[in-house]
Amino acid sequence: MPPKRRASSRQAPTKRLKQLTTAKRQERQDKITTPDTIISTSNLSLSLAFLAGWADVTSVKTFKMYSSMMTGNWITLTTRVASQDYTDISLLVATLAMFSLGFAIFRFVDNYLQQGVAKGKACSWFAFLVFGLMYAADYLILKDSTSRWPIVFVAMASGIINAVSSSRCHLVTNMMTGHVMTISSNVADYAFERKMLNANAPPLKLKQNTYVSIKIIGSFCSGAAMKIWLSSVLVNKAAAVWKFGQVGTMYMLLLVLSETTNMSSTLCSCTVLLSAVSLIGSCSM
């Protein structure tokens, strides 16, 4: 009779194989039982990139600051401190803090909801907060057009949106540097492997994430260009006043539809109605 030690060594791989098989079976079952949402994950990432370009152009034109790309704000803050120029130091610190707060709150609530009956519904909860924060920024700008402090509300909303992009799409949709690096790296690898490849080997293809990054960059630039074009075409005063409210409305609709499977649901219907009223009102008041 073989030693028990050898028997256990034979059984261990079998046990691990059963665990992997069970995990794969559960994963397939989850895909079957999880209904498709109105906006798929791939379309969500492209839509978030489009709105990120739109929001960044609006933020730069209004505040001369980015509300979603914190690298520039960190550079400005460091430069001001190093040169002992303390202009807008408190504003920069507040913007960085509010962005981080928005990101952290979404992550905390999302993790908490994953444990309960509202699993996967954090986007719907936060959609209306983003909507409110964007309109709050517009209201404060209306009260004092010279103040740049309303950016802290936009920054918090941007932190929430970036957390959504990270957790739902597993992509960064507001910064293009990483996507440019992905495309460049994959093209370089493709060129190298093609040169070194045996003539009888099957043809190579670019990695799938290359095309994803190309689409993200295209969507981001399209959103920025669309905002600039609309600003030149729409001279309506109301459309200029509620500029953040408009993008906040689109964010709200997008987040709710990304977690909704039935267009006729009460939440979806109310969100669509509120979005229509908000967009029409912001362009005609």
Side-chain angles (χ1 to χ4, degrees), residues 46-257:
L46 296 178
S47 301
L48 288 175
F50 179 88
L51 291 179
W54 184 305
D56 279 335
V57 168
T58 306
S59 181
V60 170
K61 289 171 69 72
T62 304
F63 304 116
K64 311 301 180 187
M65 290 174 59
Y66 289 108
S67 59
S68 64
M69 292 189 282
M70 295 297 106
T71 304
N73 294 332
W74 275 112
I75 292 173
T76 303
L77 177 62
T78 305
T79 303
R80 294 277 174 84
V81 172
S83 60
Q84 297 183 353
D85 177 10
Y86 301 108
T87 306
D88 293 332
I89 289 294
S90 57
L91 176 62
L92 289 165
V93 171
T95 302
L96 293 166
M98 290 295 282
F99 179 90
S100 301
L101 180 63
F103 195 103
I105 289 177
F106 179 87
R107 291 288 293 182
F108 180 86
V109 174
D110 187 37
N111 289 334
Y112 179 79
L113 292 179
Q114 293 292 337
Q115 310 301 319
V117 295
K119 182 177 181 180
K121 295 297 182 183
C123 290
S124 300
W125 287 56
F126 278 89
F128 301 98
L129 177 58
V130 171
F131 175 80
L133 288 168
M134 291 295 195
Y135 264 107
D138 278 333
Y139 178 77
L140 293 176
I141 294 171
L142 189 62
K143 290 295 183 181
D144 184 3
S145 60
T146 62
S147 175
R148 294 202 293 170
W149 276 95
I151 195 175
V152 299
F153 292 96
V154 184
M156 184 175 184
S158 299
I160 294 171
I161 295 300
N162 276 270
V164 171
S165 174
S166 175
S167 64
R168 297 296 187 269
C169 307
H170 306 291
L171 287 170
V172 177
T173 56
N174 70 308
M175 291 178 287
M176 300 298 106
T177 305
H179 295 291
V180 172
M181 292 170 61
T182 297
I183 295 170
S184 302
S185 175
N186 290 346
V187 169
D189 292 344
Y190 172 81
F192 175 79
E193 292 174 3
R194 187 178 181 85
K195 182 176 180 59
M196 302 299 294
L197 190 64
N198 190 313
N200 297 324
L204 290 171
K205 291 184 179 180
L206 282 169
K207 295 178 182 178
Q208 185 63 32
N209 60 350
T210 307
Y211 303 104
V212 173
S213 292
I214 291 173
K215 291 178 182 178
I216 292 293
I217 293 175
S219 297
F220 182 87
C221 295
S222 298
M226 179 65 73
K227 172 57 183 176
I228 295 171
W229 179 76
L230 286 178
S231 297
S232 64
V233 173
L234 295 177
V235 294
N236 191 322
K237 182 179 179 181
V241 170
W242 304 108
K243 47 188 174 293
F244 287 107
Q246 292 163 5
V247 70
T249 300
M250 291 185 282
Y251 270 132
M252 175 184 66
L253 184 61
L254 178 65
L255 295 182
V256 171
L257 294 182

Side-chain angles (χ1 to χ4, degrees), residues 251-284:
Y251 270 132
M252 175 184 66
L253 184 61
L254 178 65
L255 295 182
V256 171
L257 294 182
S258 70
E259 291 183 344
T260 306
T261 57
N262 185 2
M263 195 68 182
S264 62
S265 66
T266 303
L267 176 61
C268 184
S269 301
C270 292
T271 305
V272 171
L273 179 61
L274 178 59
S275 300
V277 172
S278 174
L279 291 175
I280 293 173
S282 65
C283 294
S284 60

